[in-house]
Amino acid sequence: MTHIYDLLIIGGGPVGLFTAYFASMRNADVAIIESLPQVGGQANALFPEKEIYDIGGIPKIKAKQLIQQQLAQLELFQPEIKLSTTVDNIIEQADGNLLVTTNHGELQAKAVIIAIGTGSFAPRKLNNVYDPALEDNGQVTYFVKNLADFADQNVMVAGGGDSAVDWALALENVAQSVTIIHRRDQFRGLESSVQKLRDSTVKIMTPYLLNQVTPAADQLQIDLKKVKTDDHQVVAADKLLINYGFVSDSRLLRQWQLDLAGSKIKVNTKMETNRPKVYAVGDAVTYPGKLDLIAVGYAEAPIAVTTALQTIYPEKIQPLHSTSLFN
Ligand SMILES: Cc1cc2nc3c(=O)[nH]c(=O)nc-3n(C[C@H](O)[C@H](O)[C@H](O)COP(=O)(O)OP(=O)(O)OC[C@H]3O[C@@H](n4cnc5c(N)ncnc54)[C@H](O)[C@@H]3O)c2cc1C
């Protein structure tokens, strides 16, 4: 029999994670659907090392730490988190439930809360530099899912931001060798991390661009071009990890029959969209006075969950304070 969730939360950014936590506290059967292989939304993908100063009760916290704390908070309930899964559409069914179609099949729920921020993220890919088949066996990759996959390998990391620097340092402990290449002499990563990188055994090659990546026996042959020169260097590596940032895409949203203002979903003060049992929160929404801040999204989450549960379980009294749930 098909499982019917109470709530499906689309998007595992900070607001989606808190929505899932709050819904779990209310005993709802929830799952989060996230298009990336990692949760954390913009905070993890775009500014993991940046300090955040505007969350109530927390003087300052690194973005990636905030996401770790949110995951720790979710541990209590362990809702399902479906990673690498992108929602294509939300379809009303004759029985009143919603069918959520994804790239990995269909799911059903009594209600849906959209927390997709600025749209689905995908790594900024390099065109024409390598055969995409090299991604199939993980020789060229955009994510580190498991550090052990890089054990005893000669790894080249491409990129100059926080992620590239952090991964180069993390891989130094497991890989046989790590080389980082960047098109500028200066790295954009946090100063203390860049200093750690310069003090590490990671080989730094700047200013170089990836020119051509070709398979050679079990390895990759990576042709690097020195910026603004005709100089080339060919380096062998077992794996290439590319970290050139992310691009977001809000085109899917346009197929979901929602009232939009630009690329934002219009909601009322109960976080209701124009569609029955479809609610939205976080950076994805707009209303008069809306601010794209995590604190604002956190405030919208309990409103959306409460409205959704009142709609799908009108007979249930919804408690207001968490103490009445844990006692
Ligand atoms: C550089 C920078 C600095 C910032 N600094 C601060 C700050 O100091 N304080 C602050 O409060 N805010 C800050 N913000 C804003 C903050 O990041 C956003 O308000 C917050 O991330 C919104 O969270 P969200 O969960 O609504 O959306 P997002 O963080 O955008 O997460 C949405 C998630 O949904 C997923 N998704 C999208 N479409 C689909 C789909 N179709 N199917 C499945 N999954 C999907 C995405 O992959 C993503 O993981 C900053 C933003 C940037 C860019």
Side-chain angles (χ1 to χ4, degrees):
M1 224 172 76
T2 312
H3 183 85
I4 302 174
Y5 295 91
D6 290 328
L7 297 176
L8 279 171
I9 294 157
I10 309 176
V15 179
L17 292 176
F18 185 60
T19 307
Y21 174 71
F22 195 85
S24 302
M25 276 208 319
R26 291 280 158 95
N27 264 340
D29 174 14
V30 298
I32 300 172
I33 310 172
E34 168 55 54
S35 57
L36 288 178
Q38 65 187 31
V39 294
Q42 296 171 52
N44 244 1
L46 304 182
F47 56 100
E49 289 292 344
K50 193 179 95 81
E51 302 279 6
I52 299 177
Y53 297 91
D54 47 6
I55 308 284
I58 302 179
K60 71 168 181 173
I61 187 165
K62 275 194 179 28
K64 68 178 179 192
Q65 229 176 316
L66 178 69
I67 300 304
Q68 278 161 13
Q69 305 241 69
Q70 287 202 246
L71 284 172
Q73 188 180 38
L74 268 179
E75 272 289 298
L76 188 61
F77 301 108
Q78 302 187 351
E80 252 180 279
I81 304 181
K82 295 176 183 295
L83 296 173
S84 305
T85 306
T86 300
V87 171
D88 300 319
N89 214 342
I90 306 165
I91 301 160
E92 266 144 40
Q93 300 188 119
D95 61 5
N97 293 324
L98 297 165
L99 182 74
V100 174
T101 63
T102 79
N103 58 334
H104 291 311
E106 299 174 344
L107 298 162
Q108 288 193 46
K110 295 185 172 135
V112 163
I113 300 182
I114 302 171
I116 61 169
T118 48
S120 60
F121 281 112
R124 196 183 298 278
K125 293 222 170 179
L126 279 185
N127 291 326
N128 308 326
V129 166
Y130 63 90
D131 178 350
L134 290 173
E135 283 184 46
D136 296 345
N137 61 5
Q139 274 186 293
V140 175
T141 183
Y142 290 83
F143 291 101
V144 177
K145 288 184 194 156
N146 194 345
L147 274 177
D149 296 342
F150 295 79
D152 304 323
Q153 306 271 299
N154 297 295
V155 185
M156 179 171 287
V157 178
D162 285 317
S163 280
V165 172
D166 281 356
W167 282 128
L169 287 170
L171 288 166
E172 187 196 9
N173 299 322
V174 293
Q176 173 137 6
S177 73
V178 182
T179 303
I180 187 165
I181 70 135
H182 180 39
R183 66 197 157 107
R184 297 207 177 88
D185 285 325
Q186 302 304 322
F187 287 88
R188 281 178 288 109
L190 197 74
E191 283 148 2
S192 57
S193 303
V194 174
Q195 192 51 51
K196 246 191 218 166
L197 181 78
R198 297 202 185 279
D199 295 341
S200 72
T201 60
V202 174
K203 184 175 175 192
I204 299 174
M205 293 183 71
T206 60
Y208 279 101
L209 289 168
L210 288 172
N211 188 51
Q212 196 73 47
V213 181
T214 43
D218 283 348
Q219 283 200 307
L220 298 170
Q221 213 168 25
I222 303 175
D223 176 46
L224 303 172
K225 182 179 177 302
K226 195 159 196 176
V227 173
K228 290 185 187 155
T229 73
D230 289 327
D231 293 355
H232 285 256
Q233 284 226 31
V234 178
V235 179
D238 299 306
K239 283 191 192 294
L240 171 63
L241 171 66
I242 303 174
N243 274 283
Y244 283 177
F246 288 83
V247 282
S248 69
D249 182 353
S250 61
R251 277 174 299 180
L252 278 174
L253 183 61
R254 307 207 169 268
Q255 301 163 28
W256 297 357
Q257 293 114 39
L258 293 163
D259 279 351
L260 302 178
S263 56
K264 302 272 189 175
I265 305 165
K266 289 192 200 171
V267 290
N268 61 18
T269 53
K270 292 164 85 178
M271 300 300 127
E272 292 169 312
T273 70
N274 59 303
R275 292 187 57 180
K277 299 182 191 167
V278 178
Y279 309 88
V281 288
D283 277 16
V285 306
T286 188
Y287 51 81
K290 166 70 184 171
L291 296 174
D292 286 348
L293 286 175
I294 294 166
V296 174
Y298 284 170
E300 292 159 357
I303 299 174
V305 169
T306 305
T307 312
L309 293 181
Q310 275 168 351
T311 306
I312 61 177
Y313 294 118
E315 70 288 355
K316 265 198 198 166
I317 296 167
Q318 300 294 328
L320 185 60
H321 297 128
S322 57
T323 42
S324 49
L325 293 150
F326 286 114
N327 288 337

